Amino acid sequence: MQVTEAFKHAFLKQMLLGFQASAVSTKSMGFQERKNAIKLSADVAMAVARGSRKWTRGLIAGLSEERQNRSFLRLILGEQYESLLKPCHSSWKIPRCKKIVRRSLRVCWRKQKKNQSGVLARTLVEKRTQELKRLVPGGESMDGSSLLDETLDYVLSLRAQVDLMQSLLTTFEASKLRSHSKRRLPERKASYVSK
Amino acid sequence: MSGRSGAITDEEINELVSKLQSLLPESRRRRSAGRVSASKLLKETCSYIKGLHREVEDLSDRLSDLMATMDSNSPQAEIIRSLLRP
């Protein structure tokens, strides 16, 4: 996945539409409510900008589990809402899931296993795989290589989301600085090195 | 690529694993020859994702703070309006 200009544009546009739809600039809105609206807009923007993937469908499905999000999602996504909620084709693989995960991970780390106490290592891999499945939206119904593929895509999209939200914040802060006394703009250190 | 029901080759998995490894900040800095263990990779990936989630939370907080103090007649509001224009 490449973070293209098209992706960035789609994300920002979608996020601002989300802000508009949830009227975040209303002065009377409480902090938590506004923050939730912003985060919801950001997540939807990320899913829409990325398009149809297992994790984007998982994300929208997860968001619509909360009743208060549904009218916003329907409003913002329109027709896309229904199609994004459609279950992915590999959901029937759920019972085979654990076996496939173990097999596909074992395939590439076969050589390492010789030096490790087999049972402990396998348990650890399983445990951490389960954790990863909880972190990646829609992960619970993914098999081994799907999980890796979706994880990669999701991580790249998350990084883009962080970058773009930071840009938005910087833009707003900078415009504010002009009308207030001079103070140093706090620099946020990225936790990774972007390409 | 995802969603195929056909056999997944070792090569494809290796490719995914090395791509994932190259994304993780710690793995890149380490620059170790050969592969890192499966559990280590999964652990780092999980930490990394959780870190990114925290950053999004933090940025949402800060955006919320900022919007609370914005004046509807200010230049900031005008920027937002101009961004919303098609």
mmCIF file of all heavy atoms in Angstrom, chain A residues 78-122:
data_model
loop_
_atom_site.group_PDB
_atom_site.id
_atom_site.type_symbol
_atom_site.label_atom_id
_atom_site.label_comp_id
_atom_site.label_asym_id
_atom_site.label_seq_id
_atom_site.Cartn_x
_atom_site.Cartn_y
_atom_site.Cartn_z
ATOM 1 N N GLY A 78 -23.471 7.099 3.501
ATOM 2 C CA GLY A 78 -24.548 6.917 2.527
ATOM 3 C C GLY A 78 -24.638 5.475 2.074
ATOM 4 O O GLY A 78 -24.673 4.559 2.882
ATOM 5 N N GLU A 79 -24.605 5.279 0.764
ATOM 6 C CA GLU A 79 -24.735 3.929 0.198
ATOM 7 C C GLU A 79 -23.582 3.031 0.603
ATOM 8 O O GLU A 79 -23.744 1.841 0.771
ATOM 9 C CB GLU A 79 -24.767 4.009 -1.326
ATOM 10 C CG GLU A 79 -26.096 4.427 -1.882
ATOM 11 C CD GLU A 79 -25.986 4.796 -3.355
ATOM 12 O OE1 GLU A 79 -24.931 4.552 -3.964
ATOM 13 O OE2 GLU A 79 -26.969 5.320 -3.874
ATOM 14 N N GLN A 80 -22.392 3.641 0.747
ATOM 15 C CA GLN A 80 -21.205 2.858 1.092
ATOM 16 C C GLN A 80 -21.368 2.118 2.423
ATOM 17 O O GLN A 80 -20.719 1.103 2.645
ATOM 18 C CB GLN A 80 -20.004 3.778 1.228
ATOM 19 C CG GLN A 80 -19.358 4.165 -0.073
ATOM 20 C CD GLN A 80 -18.126 5.012 0.187
ATOM 21 O OE1 GLN A 80 -18.229 6.093 0.753
ATOM 22 N NE2 GLN A 80 -16.979 4.521 -0.191
ATOM 23 N N TYR A 81 -22.204 2.656 3.311
ATOM 24 C CA TYR A 81 -22.379 2.086 4.646
ATOM 25 C C TYR A 81 -22.769 0.623 4.565
ATOM 26 O O TYR A 81 -22.170 -0.218 5.218
ATOM 27 C CB TYR A 81 -23.426 2.890 5.418
ATOM 28 C CG TYR A 81 -23.650 2.470 6.858
ATOM 29 C CD1 TYR A 81 -22.576 2.207 7.703
ATOM 30 C CD2 TYR A 81 -24.935 2.350 7.386
ATOM 31 C CE1 TYR A 81 -22.774 1.833 9.024
ATOM 32 C CE2 TYR A 81 -25.140 1.996 8.703
ATOM 33 C CZ TYR A 81 -24.055 1.738 9.522
ATOM 34 O OH TYR A 81 -24.251 1.371 10.827
ATOM 35 N N GLU A 82 -23.786 0.344 3.720
ATOM 36 C CA GLU A 82 -24.272 -1.033 3.616
ATOM 37 C C GLU A 82 -23.204 -1.952 3.024
ATOM 38 O O GLU A 82 -22.979 -3.048 3.515
ATOM 39 C CB GLU A 82 -25.542 -1.092 2.738
ATOM 40 C CG GLU A 82 -26.677 -0.196 3.225
ATOM 41 C CD GLU A 82 -27.089 -0.444 4.669
ATOM 42 O OE1 GLU A 82 -27.078 -1.602 5.120
ATOM 43 O OE2 GLU A 82 -27.416 0.532 5.365
ATOM 44 N N SER A 83 -22.545 -1.487 1.971
ATOM 45 C CA SER A 83 -21.559 -2.362 1.333
ATOM 46 C C SER A 83 -20.331 -2.567 2.205
ATOM 47 O O SER A 83 -19.727 -3.629 2.193
ATOM 48 C CB SER A 83 -21.154 -1.816 -0.044
ATOM 49 O OG SER A 83 -20.494 -0.588 0.113
ATOM 50 N N LEU A 84 -19.966 -1.567 2.993
ATOM 51 C CA LEU A 84 -18.819 -1.715 3.895
ATOM 52 C C LEU A 84 -19.123 -2.656 5.048
ATOM 53 O O LEU A 84 -18.216 -3.201 5.662
ATOM 54 C CB LEU A 84 -18.363 -0.360 4.442
ATOM 55 C CG LEU A 84 -17.456 0.467 3.528
ATOM 56 C CD1 LEU A 84 -17.286 1.873 4.075
ATOM 57 C CD2 LEU A 84 -16.093 -0.184 3.370
ATOM 58 N N LEU A 85 -20.413 -2.865 5.333
ATOM 59 C CA LEU A 85 -20.778 -3.745 6.437
ATOM 60 C C LEU A 85 -20.899 -5.194 6.030
ATOM 61 O O LEU A 85 -20.996 -6.065 6.876
ATOM 62 C CB LEU A 85 -22.116 -3.305 7.061
ATOM 63 C CG LEU A 85 -22.048 -2.181 8.083
ATOM 64 C CD1 LEU A 85 -23.435 -1.923 8.649
ATOM 65 C CD2 LEU A 85 -21.111 -2.537 9.221
ATOM 66 N N LYS A 86 -20.850 -5.439 4.715
ATOM 67 C CA LYS A 86 -21.017 -6.823 4.254
ATOM 68 C C LYS A 86 -19.908 -7.691 4.798
ATOM 69 O O LYS A 86 -18.741 -7.318 4.763
ATOM 70 C CB LYS A 86 -20.981 -6.861 2.720
ATOM 71 C CG LYS A 86 -22.286 -7.301 2.108
ATOM 72 C CD LYS A 86 -22.188 -7.414 0.610
ATOM 73 C CE LYS A 86 -23.237 -6.519 -0.042
ATOM 74 N NZ LYS A 86 -22.860 -6.083 -1.368
ATOM 75 N N PRO A 87 -20.246 -8.885 5.302
ATOM 76 C CA PRO A 87 -19.205 -9.742 5.868
ATOM 77 C C PRO A 87 -18.218 -10.168 4.792
ATOM 78 O O PRO A 87 -18.602 -10.378 3.658
ATOM 79 C CB PRO A 87 -19.978 -10.948 6.420
ATOM 80 C CG PRO A 87 -21.264 -10.948 5.688
ATOM 81 C CD PRO A 87 -21.575 -9.547 5.342
ATOM 82 N N CYS A 88 -16.968 -10.309 5.164
ATOM 83 C CA CYS A 88 -15.970 -10.688 4.173
ATOM 84 C C CYS A 88 -16.062 -12.183 3.877
ATOM 85 O O CYS A 88 -16.478 -12.971 4.698
ATOM 86 C CB CYS A 88 -14.573 -10.307 4.618
ATOM 87 S SG CYS A 88 -14.243 -10.625 6.352
ATOM 88 N N HIS A 89 -15.612 -12.560 2.687
ATOM 89 C CA HIS A 89 -15.801 -13.928 2.202
ATOM 90 C C HIS A 89 -15.104 -14.977 3.049
ATOM 91 O O HIS A 89 -15.503 -16.116 3.081
ATOM 92 C CB HIS A 89 -15.300 -14.026 0.761
ATOM 93 C CG HIS A 89 -16.020 -13.103 -0.151
ATOM 94 N ND1 HIS A 89 -17.363 -13.195 -0.369
ATOM 95 C CD2 HIS A 89 -15.596 -12.038 -0.876
ATOM 96 C CE1 HIS A 89 -17.731 -12.241 -1.204
ATOM 97 N NE2 HIS A 89 -16.694 -11.532 -1.528
ATOM 98 N N SER A 90 -14.036 -14.590 3.711
ATOM 99 C CA SER A 90 -13.271 -15.605 4.425
ATOM 100 C C SER A 90 -13.824 -15.891 5.816
ATOM 101 O O SER A 90 -13.204 -16.559 6.604
ATOM 102 C CB SER A 90 -11.810 -15.176 4.519
ATOM 103 O OG SER A 90 -11.719 -14.020 5.316
ATOM 104 N N SER A 91 -15.003 -15.361 6.132
ATOM 105 C CA SER A 91 -15.515 -15.575 7.486
ATOM 106 C C SER A 91 -15.798 -17.039 7.767
ATOM 107 O O SER A 91 -15.792 -17.476 8.898
ATOM 108 C CB SER A 91 -16.771 -14.744 7.733
ATOM 109 O OG SER A 91 -17.738 -15.052 6.758
ATOM 110 N N TRP A 92 -16.006 -17.843 6.744
ATOM 111 C CA TRP A 92 -16.264 -19.260 6.962
ATOM 112 C C TRP A 92 -15.028 -20.001 7.434
ATOM 113 O O TRP A 92 -15.097 -21.119 7.872
ATOM 114 C CB TRP A 92 -16.837 -19.901 5.703
ATOM 115 C CG TRP A 92 -15.905 -19.844 4.526
ATOM 116 C CD1 TRP A 92 -15.866 -18.870 3.580
ATOM 117 C CD2 TRP A 92 -14.899 -20.782 4.169
ATOM 118 N NE1 TRP A 92 -14.902 -19.145 2.664
ATOM 119 C CE2 TRP A 92 -14.277 -20.304 2.979
ATOM 120 C CE3 TRP A 92 -14.439 -21.975 4.711
ATOM 121 C CZ2 TRP A 92 -13.240 -20.973 2.346
ATOM 122 C CZ3 TRP A 92 -13.401 -22.663 4.075
ATOM 123 C CH2 TRP A 92 -12.821 -22.149 2.913
ATOM 124 N N LYS A 93 -13.890 -19.342 7.329
ATOM 125 C CA LYS A 93 -12.643 -19.997 7.718
ATOM 126 C C LYS A 93 -12.406 -19.965 9.224
ATOM 127 O O LYS A 93 -11.417 -20.445 9.706
ATOM 128 C CB LYS A 93 -11.461 -19.327 7.030
ATOM 129 C CG LYS A 93 -11.275 -19.742 5.605
ATOM 130 C CD LYS A 93 -10.045 -19.073 5.029
ATOM 131 C CE LYS A 93 -9.937 -19.357 3.540
ATOM 132 N NZ LYS A 93 -9.011 -18.453 2.888
ATOM 133 N N ILE A 94 -13.311 -19.363 9.966
ATOM 134 C CA ILE A 94 -13.076 -19.163 11.399
ATOM 135 C C ILE A 94 -12.654 -20.428 12.157
ATOM 136 O O ILE A 94 -11.682 -20.404 12.875
ATOM 137 C CB ILE A 94 -14.300 -18.517 12.085
ATOM 138 C CG1 ILE A 94 -14.538 -17.124 11.502
ATOM 139 C CG2 ILE A 94 -14.070 -18.391 13.587
ATOM 140 C CD1 ILE A 94 -15.845 -16.507 11.929
ATOM 141 N N PRO A 95 -13.334 -21.569 11.976
ATOM 142 C CA PRO A 95 -12.908 -22.753 12.732
ATOM 143 C C PRO A 95 -11.483 -23.190 12.401
ATOM 144 O O PRO A 95 -10.770 -23.682 13.253
ATOM 145 C CB PRO A 95 -13.910 -23.842 12.310
ATOM 146 C CG PRO A 95 -15.030 -23.127 11.679
ATOM 147 C CD PRO A 95 -14.528 -21.829 11.176
ATOM 148 N N ARG A 96 -11.054 -23.010 11.162
ATOM 149 C CA ARG A 96 -9.715 -23.455 10.765
ATOM 150 C C ARG A 96 -8.641 -22.455 11.163
ATOM 151 O O ARG A 96 -7.469 -22.719 11.089
ATOM 152 C CB ARG A 96 -9.667 -23.623 9.252
ATOM 153 C CG ARG A 96 -10.473 -24.791 8.747
ATOM 154 C CD ARG A 96 -10.613 -24.737 7.237
ATOM 155 N NE ARG A 96 -9.321 -24.608 6.591
ATOM 156 C CZ ARG A 96 -9.148 -24.134 5.363
ATOM 157 N NH1 ARG A 96 -10.182 -23.714 4.676
ATOM 158 N NH2 ARG A 96 -7.971 -24.049 4.818
ATOM 159 N N CYS A 97 -9.109 -21.308 11.569
ATOM 160 C CA CYS A 97 -8.236 -20.172 11.819
ATOM 161 C C CYS A 97 -6.948 -20.483 12.567
ATOM 162 O O CYS A 97 -5.870 -20.227 12.089
ATOM 163 C CB CYS A 97 -9.030 -19.140 12.598
ATOM 164 S SG CYS A 97 -8.593 -17.510 12.149
ATOM 165 N N LYS A 98 -7.109 -21.033 13.776
ATOM 166 C CA LYS A 98 -5.947 -21.233 14.644
ATOM 167 C C LYS A 98 -4.907 -22.107 13.974
ATOM 168 O O LYS A 98 -3.715 -21.835 14.022
ATOM 169 C CB LYS A 98 -6.407 -21.900 15.946
ATOM 170 C CG LYS A 98 -6.316 -21.010 17.158
ATOM 171 C CD LYS A 98 -6.934 -21.683 18.363
ATOM 172 C CE LYS A 98 -5.939 -21.785 19.502
ATOM 173 N NZ LYS A 98 -6.554 -22.333 20.710
ATOM 174 N N LYS A 99 -5.385 -23.157 13.300
ATOM 175 C CA LYS A 99 -4.460 -24.085 12.655
ATOM 176 C C LYS A 99 -3.677 -23.389 11.559
ATOM 177 O O LYS A 99 -2.480 -23.557 11.416
ATOM 178 C CB LYS A 99 -5.269 -25.246 12.064
ATOM 179 C CG LYS A 99 -4.644 -26.603 12.320
ATOM 180 C CD LYS A 99 -5.623 -27.732 12.045
ATOM 181 C CE LYS A 99 -5.439 -28.334 10.663
ATOM 182 N NZ LYS A 99 -6.433 -29.384 10.372
ATOM 183 N N ILE A 100 -4.388 -22.569 10.778
ATOM 184 C CA ILE A 100 -3.751 -21.889 9.654
ATOM 185 C C ILE A 100 -2.727 -20.873 10.149
ATOM 186 O O ILE A 100 -1.644 -20.748 9.596
ATOM 187 C CB ILE A 100 -4.802 -21.205 8.759
ATOM 188 C CG1 ILE A 100 -5.647 -22.281 8.068
ATOM 189 C CG2 ILE A 100 -4.132 -20.328 7.709
ATOM 190 C CD1 ILE A 100 -6.851 -21.737 7.358
ATOM 191 N N VAL A 101 -3.100 -20.168 11.207
ATOM 192 C CA VAL A 101 -2.173 -19.181 11.752
ATOM 193 C C VAL A 101 -0.888 -19.872 12.169
ATOM 194 O O VAL A 101 0.209 -19.455 11.829
ATOM 195 C CB VAL A 101 -2.796 -18.456 12.956
ATOM 196 C CG1 VAL A 101 -1.765 -17.637 13.689
ATOM 197 C CG2 VAL A 101 -3.923 -17.564 12.504
ATOM 198 N N ARG A 102 -1.044 -20.958 12.919
ATOM 199 C CA ARG A 102 0.124 -21.691 13.397
ATOM 200 C C ARG A 102 0.972 -22.170 12.242
ATOM 201 O O ARG A 102 2.179 -22.041 12.227
ATOM 202 C CB ARG A 102 -0.319 -22.886 14.235
ATOM 203 C CG ARG A 102 -0.118 -22.672 15.718
ATOM 204 C CD ARG A 102 -0.508 -23.877 16.516
ATOM 205 N NE ARG A 102 -1.901 -23.883 16.867
ATOM 206 C CZ ARG A 102 -2.629 -24.999 17.015
ATOM 207 N NH1 ARG A 102 -2.100 -26.159 16.805
ATOM 208 N NH2 ARG A 102 -3.889 -24.923 17.357
ATOM 209 N N ARG A 103 0.303 -22.727 11.205
ATOM 210 C CA ARG A 103 1.044 -23.276 10.073
ATOM 211 C C ARG A 103 1.790 -22.187 9.324
ATOM 212 O O ARG A 103 2.967 -22.308 9.035
ATOM 213 C CB ARG A 103 0.090 -24.010 9.131
ATOM 214 C CG ARG A 103 0.787 -24.584 7.908
ATOM 215 C CD ARG A 103 -0.173 -25.408 7.064
ATOM 216 N NE ARG A 103 -1.150 -24.598 6.376
ATOM 217 C CZ ARG A 103 -0.939 -24.056 5.177
ATOM 218 N NH1 ARG A 103 0.189 -24.230 4.563
ATOM 219 N NH2 ARG A 103 -1.883 -23.335 4.610
ATOM 220 N N SER A 104 1.090 -21.098 9.026
ATOM 221 C CA SER A 104 1.741 -20.075 8.209
ATOM 222 C C SER A 104 2.867 -19.380 8.952
ATOM 223 O O SER A 104 3.853 -19.002 8.358
ATOM 224 C CB SER A 104 0.721 -19.061 7.688
ATOM 225 O OG SER A 104 0.017 -18.503 8.758
ATOM 226 N N LEU A 105 2.739 -19.231 10.259
ATOM 227 C CA LEU A 105 3.829 -18.619 11.010
ATOM 228 C C LEU A 105 4.977 -19.596 11.158
ATOM 229 O O LEU A 105 6.130 -19.232 11.104
ATOM 230 C CB LEU A 105 3.336 -18.130 12.376
ATOM 231 C CG LEU A 105 2.445 -16.889 12.326
ATOM 232 C CD1 LEU A 105 1.880 -16.589 13.687
ATOM 233 C CD2 LEU A 105 3.207 -15.677 11.809
ATOM 234 N N ARG A 106 4.645 -20.861 11.331
ATOM 235 C CA ARG A 106 5.674 -21.890 11.494
ATOM 236 C C ARG A 106 6.501 -22.020 10.217
ATOM 237 O O ARG A 106 7.695 -22.229 10.276
ATOM 238 C CB ARG A 106 5.036 -23.232 11.854
ATOM 239 C CG ARG A 106 6.030 -24.225 12.429
ATOM 240 C CD ARG A 106 5.340 -25.334 13.189
ATOM 241 N NE ARG A 106 4.311 -26.019 12.415
ATOM 242 C CZ ARG A 106 3.148 -26.392 12.933
ATOM 243 N NH1 ARG A 106 2.871 -26.140 14.194
ATOM 244 N NH2 ARG A 106 2.254 -26.991 12.191
ATOM 245 N N VAL A 107 5.850 -21.862 9.070
ATOM 246 C CA VAL A 107 6.541 -21.989 7.784
ATOM 247 C C VAL A 107 7.755 -21.067 7.696
ATOM 248 O O VAL A 107 8.828 -21.475 7.286
ATOM 249 C CB VAL A 107 5.555 -21.691 6.620
ATOM 250 C CG1 VAL A 107 6.263 -21.255 5.367
ATOM 251 C CG2 VAL A 107 4.704 -22.908 6.361
ATOM 252 N N CYS A 108 7.609 -19.820 8.091
ATOM 253 C CA CYS A 108 8.749 -18.930 7.926
ATOM 254 C C CYS A 108 9.724 -18.949 9.083
ATOM 255 O O CYS A 108 10.872 -18.568 8.926
ATOM 256 C CB CYS A 108 8.300 -17.494 7.646
ATOM 257 S SG CYS A 108 6.991 -16.933 8.691
ATOM 258 N N TRP A 109 9.316 -19.400 10.244
ATOM 259 C CA TRP A 109 10.244 -19.416 11.367
ATOM 260 C C TRP A 109 10.656 -20.836 11.766
ATOM 261 O O TRP A 109 11.032 -21.079 12.891
ATOM 262 C CB TRP A 109 9.633 -18.671 12.556
ATOM 263 C CG TRP A 109 9.509 -17.216 12.261
ATOM 264 C CD1 TRP A 109 10.527 -16.348 11.994
ATOM 265 C CD2 TRP A 109 8.297 -16.464 12.177
ATOM 266 N NE1 TRP A 109 10.017 -15.097 11.766
ATOM 267 C CE2 TRP A 109 8.669 -15.120 11.869
ATOM 268 C CE3 TRP A 109 6.945 -16.769 12.352
ATOM 269 C CZ2 TRP A 109 7.736 -14.110 11.717
ATOM 270 C CZ3 TRP A 109 6.022 -15.760 12.203
ATOM 271 C CH2 TRP A 109 6.414 -14.455 11.892
ATOM 272 N N ARG A 110 10.595 -21.721 10.789
ATOM 273 C CA ARG A 110 10.897 -23.124 11.056
ATOM 274 C C ARG A 110 12.289 -23.295 11.656
ATOM 275 O O ARG A 110 12.489 -23.998 12.619
ATOM 276 C CB ARG A 110 10.810 -23.913 9.752
ATOM 277 C CG ARG A 110 10.580 -25.384 9.935
ATOM 278 C CD ARG A 110 10.495 -26.073 8.610
ATOM 279 N NE ARG A 110 9.246 -25.789 7.916
ATOM 280 C CZ ARG A 110 9.160 -25.564 6.609
ATOM 281 N NH1 ARG A 110 10.222 -25.592 5.860
ATOM 282 N NH2 ARG A 110 8.000 -25.323 6.044
ATOM 283 N N LYS A 111 13.265 -22.612 11.099
ATOM 284 C CA LYS A 111 14.651 -22.783 11.521
ATOM 285 C C LYS A 111 14.879 -22.332 12.967
ATOM 286 O O LYS A 111 15.707 -22.871 13.669
ATOM 287 C CB LYS A 111 15.592 -22.001 10.607
ATOM 288 C CG LYS A 111 15.760 -22.669 9.274
ATOM 289 C CD LYS A 111 16.711 -21.935 8.363
ATOM 290 C CE LYS A 111 16.715 -22.586 6.980
ATOM 291 N NZ LYS A 111 17.106 -21.654 5.929
ATOM 292 N N GLN A 112 14.126 -21.324 13.373
ATOM 293 C CA GLN A 112 14.303 -20.789 14.732
ATOM 294 C C GLN A 112 13.860 -21.795 15.782
ATOM 295 O O GLN A 112 14.371 -21.838 16.873
ATOM 296 C CB GLN A 112 13.457 -19.523 14.888
ATOM 297 C CG GLN A 112 13.769 -18.455 13.860
ATOM 298 C CD GLN A 112 14.772 -17.450 14.382
ATOM 299 O OE1 GLN A 112 14.950 -17.333 15.586
ATOM 300 N NE2 GLN A 112 15.430 -16.751 13.492
ATOM 301 N N LYS A 113 12.881 -22.599 15.416
ATOM 302 C CA LYS A 113 12.251 -23.488 16.399
ATOM 303 C C LYS A 113 13.231 -24.477 17.022
ATOM 304 O O LYS A 113 13.051 -24.922 18.132
ATOM 305 C CB LYS A 113 11.100 -24.267 15.765
ATOM 306 C CG LYS A 113 9.978 -23.405 15.269
ATOM 307 C CD LYS A 113 9.213 -22.778 16.405
ATOM 308 C CE LYS A 113 8.030 -22.025 15.853
ATOM 309 N NZ LYS A 113 7.363 -21.228 16.838
ATOM 310 N N LYS A 114 14.269 -24.837 16.284
ATOM 311 C CA LYS A 114 15.211 -25.847 16.774
ATOM 312 C C LYS A 114 15.839 -25.427 18.091
ATOM 313 O O LYS A 114 16.105 -26.236 18.959
ATOM 314 C CB LYS A 114 16.330 -26.068 15.749
ATOM 315 C CG LYS A 114 15.952 -26.972 14.628
ATOM 316 C CD LYS A 114 17.134 -27.248 13.715
ATOM 317 C CE LYS A 114 16.630 -27.830 12.392
ATOM 318 N NZ LYS A 114 17.583 -27.662 11.325
ATOM 319 N N ASN A 115 16.090 -24.134 18.220
ATOM 320 C CA ASN A 115 16.796 -23.663 19.409
ATOM 321 C C ASN A 115 15.866 -23.271 20.549
ATOM 322 O O ASN A 115 16.321 -22.910 21.613
ATOM 323 C CB ASN A 115 17.670 -22.451 19.053
ATOM 324 C CG ASN A 115 18.693 -22.813 18.002
ATOM 325 O OD1 ASN A 115 19.156 -23.940 17.967
ATOM 326 N ND2 ASN A 115 19.008 -21.878 17.142
ATOM 327 N N GLN A 116 14.555 -23.316 20.297
ATOM 328 C CA GLN A 116 13.637 -22.881 21.345
ATOM 329 C C GLN A 116 12.902 -24.067 21.939
ATOM 330 O O GLN A 116 12.716 -25.072 21.291
ATOM 331 C CB GLN A 116 12.606 -21.917 20.776
ATOM 332 C CG GLN A 116 13.192 -20.614 20.303
ATOM 333 C CD GLN A 116 12.209 -19.858 19.442
ATOM 334 O OE1 GLN A 116 11.259 -20.425 18.946
ATOM 335 N NE2 GLN A 116 12.459 -18.591 19.248
ATOM 336 N N SER A 117 12.504 -23.932 23.170
ATOM 337 C CA SER A 117 11.665 -24.985 23.747
ATOM 338 C C SER A 117 10.338 -24.892 23.014
ATOM 339 O O SER A 117 9.588 -23.938 23.173
ATOM 340 C CB SER A 117 11.530 -24.790 25.249
ATOM 341 O OG SER A 117 10.482 -23.930 25.547
ATOM 342 N N GLY A 118 10.061 -25.883 22.186
ATOM 343 C CA GLY A 118 8.964 -25.856 21.223
ATOM 344 C C GLY A 118 7.621 -25.418 21.767
ATOM 345 O O GLY A 118 6.971 -24.540 21.225
ATOM 346 N N VAL A 119 7.210 -26.021 22.854
ATOM 347 C CA VAL A 119 5.851 -25.774 23.371
ATOM 348 C C VAL A 119 5.686 -24.332 23.822
ATOM 349 O O VAL A 119 4.719 -23.665 23.467
ATOM 350 C CB VAL A 119 5.531 -26.736 24.542
ATOM 351 C CG1 VAL A 119 4.191 -26.388 25.170
ATOM 352 C CG2 VAL A 119 5.531 -28.175 24.056
ATOM 353 N N LEU A 120 6.652 -23.838 24.564
ATOM 354 C CA LEU A 120 6.579 -22.464 25.077
ATOM 355 C C LEU A 120 6.534 -21.460 23.931
ATOM 356 O O LEU A 120 5.719 -20.559 23.919
ATOM 357 C CB LEU A 120 7.782 -22.178 25.981
ATOM 358 C CG LEU A 120 7.842 -20.755 26.556
ATOM 359 C CD1 LEU A 120 6.659 -20.494 27.467
ATOM 360 C CD2 LEU A 120 9.139 -20.528 27.312
ATOM 361 N N ALA A 121 7.408 -21.685 22.949
ATOM 362 C CA ALA A 121 7.470 -20.764 21.813
ATOM 363 C C ALA A 121 6.153 -20.737 21.058
ATOM 364 O O ALA A 121 5.638 -19.685 20.700
ATOM 365 C CB ALA A 121 8.612 -21.159 20.891
ATOM 366 N N ARG A 122 5.596 -21.920 20.822
ATOM 367 C CA ARG A 122 4.343 -21.987 20.069
ATOM 368 C C ARG A 122 3.215 -21.306 20.836
ATOM 369 O O ARG A 122 2.409 -20.582 20.269
ATOM 370 C CB ARG A 122 3.964 -23.441 19.778
ATOM 371 C CG ARG A 122 4.625 -23.976 18.516
ATOM 372 C CD ARG A 122 3.991 -25.280 18.070
ATOM 373 N NE ARG A 122 4.272 -26.382 18.983
ATOM 374 C CZ ARG A 122 5.386 -27.098 18.954
ATOM 375 N NH1 ARG A 122 6.329 -26.823 18.082
ATOM 376 N NH2 ARG A 122 5.559 -28.091 19.802
#
